[in-house]
């Protein structure tokens, strides 16, 4: 398929905002802060930033370069690179697209939670609540499958309308609007958090929180923490999920892939760091536990908003921020299977959008029910909701990233990858030759991540 027969990005900033919007999601505002709290603060942050540079950037540029080289979505792209015949490397597309579908089956449910919690905040339901109250609110919501399905369907409907409108009018246009809104919201919330003072006996200042957050304490750094940082970088940047190849296939030949990739990862990491600035000072000032884990967002933060002056407004803004961030990321997760399957099966994009979303909704039902009536159903020792997260994030994404790294290092070869990635590079930001030895080491690193995930 030639470049003239397919859509392409309307502008460079549109591509950067869409790709950054895909990267910026629940992983930044929910998962990153609770991992930082769990693994001791500044040392985890430092390791995470280093991993984004050493692993995130090479793999992201490789995926963009593969897409631009072929001007095809990943299933057919790998076939084209291998002379037009079906090949083992087509698994890169299949695994990535199926991982997107499985991931969205629970991810859209979580976005629905955020929409529901923003409504609860607006209605003042968090005023004066205590931890036991927020736990009861969350458990009651989880025990109501119809309500969970209702909010999931709202997210699915809005997402479907966005993707069905196409690349420029849907994906690019929506992300170009939503990303600046996200930036404004998170900066406002960060300023509010930084200006807080201790609110309870034993509470500490916002400055104490920032020192803890950004000062590395390597005594708290463990192998498990490093693996968590590796997993978080995959989850956040969106490596091994086929979307970057799809987005790369819409690029023009003169696009500056290395510099754009740096900008996308910088925006993604910046949002994650700002999310910590929003959350940790508030936790310190109210004497809350920074290591409260996954319950941080749904059970701990509502208590803070319930005690805070103007908490109804700040709580509504916060959960709306998380919902919007999740939505921009979901756009990218859905674009990959829709574009790939539409191209592979020769089906109209609009029709394929609703087919894929229908499949995702059917798959979301077990995840919804696993929070209540199907709570006793276990796969690999996990409830269905957690199993979908583990299968897509800990297994399929590393498998896909491993396949991509193997292909680039041993089939496509570093020189071809370097030439393609640097085509259109206009600044010092280029894939350097010194990266070549690392690209041969990277598959072994990814294989170890996969082994640990299994």
């Amino acid at each position: 398929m030639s470049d003239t027969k397919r859509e392409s990005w309307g502008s460079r900033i549109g591509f950067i905002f869409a790709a950054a919007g895909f990267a910026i999601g629940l992983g930044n505002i929910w998962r990153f802060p609770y991992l930082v709290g769990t693994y001791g603060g500044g040392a985890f942050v430092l390791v995470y930033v280093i991993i984004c540079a050493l692993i995130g950037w090479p793999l992201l540029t490789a995926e963009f370069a593969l897409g631009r080289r072929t001007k095809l979505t990943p299933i057919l792209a790998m076939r084209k690179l291998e002379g037009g015949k079906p090949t083992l490397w087509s698994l890169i597309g299949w695994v990535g697209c199926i991982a997107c579908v499985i991931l969205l089956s629970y991810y859209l449910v979580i976005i629905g939670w955020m929409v529901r919690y923003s409504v609860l905040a607006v209605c003042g339901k968090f005023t004066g609540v205590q931890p036991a109250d927020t736990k009861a609110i969350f458990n009651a919501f989880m025990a109501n499958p119809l309500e969970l399905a209702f909010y999931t369907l709202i997210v699915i409907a809005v997402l479907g309308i966005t993707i069905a409108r196409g690349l420029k009018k849907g994906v690019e246009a929506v992300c170009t609007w939503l990303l600046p809104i996200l930036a404004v919201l998170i900066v406002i919330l960060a300023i509010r958090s930084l200006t807080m003072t201790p609110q309870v006996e034993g509470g500490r200042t916002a400055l104490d929180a920032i020192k803890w957050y950004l000062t590395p304490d390597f005594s708290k750094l463990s192998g498990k923490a490093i693996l968590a940082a590796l997993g978080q970088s995959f989850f956040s940047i969106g490596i091994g999920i086929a979307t970057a190849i799809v987005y790369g296939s819409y690029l023009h030949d003169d696009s500056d892939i290395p510099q754009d990739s740096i900008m996308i990862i910088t925006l993604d990491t910046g949002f994650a760091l700002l999310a910590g600035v929003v959350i940790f000072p508030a936790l310190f000032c109210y004497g809350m536990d920074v290591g409260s884990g996954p319950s941080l967002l749904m059970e701990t933060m509502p208590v803070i908003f319930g005690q805070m002056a103007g908490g109804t407004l700040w709580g509504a803004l916060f959960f709306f921020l998380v919902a919007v961030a999740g939505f921009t990321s979901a756009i990218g997760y859905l674009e990959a299977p829709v574009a790939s399957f539409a191209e592979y099966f020769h089906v109209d994009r609009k029709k394929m959008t609703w087919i894929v979303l229908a499949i995702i909704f059917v798959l979301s039902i077990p995840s919804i029910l696993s929070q209540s009536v199907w709570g006793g159903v276990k796969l690999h020792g996990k409830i269905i909701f957690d199993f979908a997260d583990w299968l897509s994030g800990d297994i399929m994404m590393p498998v896909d990233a491993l396949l991509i790294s193997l292909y680039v290092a041993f089939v496509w070869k570093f020189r071809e990858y370097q030439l393609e990635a640097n085509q259109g590079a206009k600044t010092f930001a280029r894939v350097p030759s010194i990266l070549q030895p690392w690209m041969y080491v990277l598959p072994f690193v990814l294989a170890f991540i996969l082994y640990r995930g299994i």
Side-chain angles (χ1 to χ4, degrees), residues 262-274:
I262 290 173
M263 294 174 68
I264 290 162
I265 291 173
T266 300
L267 284 169
D268 175 59
T269 306
F271 266 83
L273 293 174
L274 275 174

Side-chain angles (χ1 to χ4, degrees), residues 71-385:
K71 297 294 191 294
L72 292 168
T73 49
I75 299 172
L76 293 181
M78 302 314 299
R79 179 181 292 186
K80 179 179 179 179
L81 288 170
E82 292 299 294
K85 298 178 180 180
T87 170
L88 170 70
W89 301 110
S90 294
L91 283 173
I92 289 173
W94 286 110
V95 171
C97 290
I98 294 171
C100 285
V101 171
I102 294 173
L103 186 148
L104 284 171
S105 72
Y106 76 89
Y107 195 83
L108 298 185
V109 176
I110 299 175
I111 299 174
W113 297 357
M114 303 308 157
V115 174
R116 173 58 175 159
Y117 267 59
S118 64
V119 172
L120 290 174
V122 168
C123 295
K125 297 296 185 181
F126 299 142
T127 303
V129 295
Q130 298 300 316
D133 301 319
T134 58
K135 190 175 183 65
I137 291 171
F138 182 70
N139 288 341
F141 185 34
M142 294 302 102
N144 191 333
L146 289 179
E147 192 174 23
L148 284 167
F150 171 74
Y151 281 101
T152 303
L153 280 171
I154 290 176
V155 177
I156 285 175
V158 178
L159 187 59
I161 292 169
T162 300
I163 297 296
R165 286 175 59 83
L167 182 69
K168 291 181 182 177
K169 294 182 180 180
V171 175
E172 185 173 349
V174 170
C175 289
T176 300
W177 277 99
L178 287 184
L179 201 68
I181 291 172
L182 272 177
V184 171
L185 285 174
I186 201 165
V187 168
I188 290 172
L189 286 165
I191 292 171
R192 175 67 186 93
S193 194
L194 287 171
T195 55
M196 293 178 65
T197 57
Q199 301 294 310
V200 298
E201 185 178 351
R204 291 178 285 172
T205 67
L207 181 60
D208 291 331
I210 297 302
K211 286 180 179 178
W212 171 87
Y213 180 38
L214 299 179
T215 303
D217 180 358
F218 293 106
S219 67
K220 297 182 179 179
L221 195 61
S222 63
K224 190 174 182 181
I226 294 172
L227 286 171
L230 281 164
Q232 172 62 18
S233 69
F234 273 53
F235 190 87
S236 183
I237 298 171
I239 298 165
I241 205 75
T243 299
I245 297 177
V246 174
Y247 278 14
S249 74
Y250 302 135
L251 287 170
H252 297 290
D253 290 337
D254 61 351
S255 302
D256 192 338
I257 287 177
Q259 187 179 55
D260 291 352
S261 297
I262 290 173
M263 294 174 68
I264 290 162
I265 291 173
T266 300
L267 284 169
D268 175 59
T269 306
F271 266 83
L273 293 174
L274 275 174
V277 174
V278 171
I279 290 173
F280 292 121
L283 292 175
F284 270 56
C285 290
Y286 280 91
M288 305 295 285
D289 180 15
V290 296
S292 52
S295 66
L296 175 65
L297 213 63
M298 314 305 290
E299 296 179 19
T300 304
M301 293 305 293
V303 175
I304 294 174
F305 293 128
Q307 299 175 26
M308 184 186 297
T312 296
L313 170 64
W314 297 115
L317 284 177
F318 177 78
F319 285 109
F320 179 70
L321 164 73
V322 182
V324 172
F327 184 79
T328 61
S329 201
I331 289 173
Y333 286 125
L334 183 59
E335 175 65 16
V338 166
S340 298
F341 295 155
E343 189 170 72
Y344 184 81
F345 293 109
H346 304 288
V347 175
D348 176 72
R349 178 189 176 94
K350 290 183 179 179
K351 184 177 180 180
M352 183 56 70
T353 298
W354 297 110
I355 290 173
V356 173
L357 280 173
I359 294 170
I360 289 169
F361 179 67
V362 170
L363 291 176
S364 75
I365 293 173
S367 286
I368 290 171
L369 294 176
S370 71
Q371 304 295 324
S372 53
V373 293
W374 284 9
V377 178
K378 300 291 179 68
L379 298 173
H380 196 66
K382 308 174 191 299
I383 63 170
I384 297 171
F385 183 97

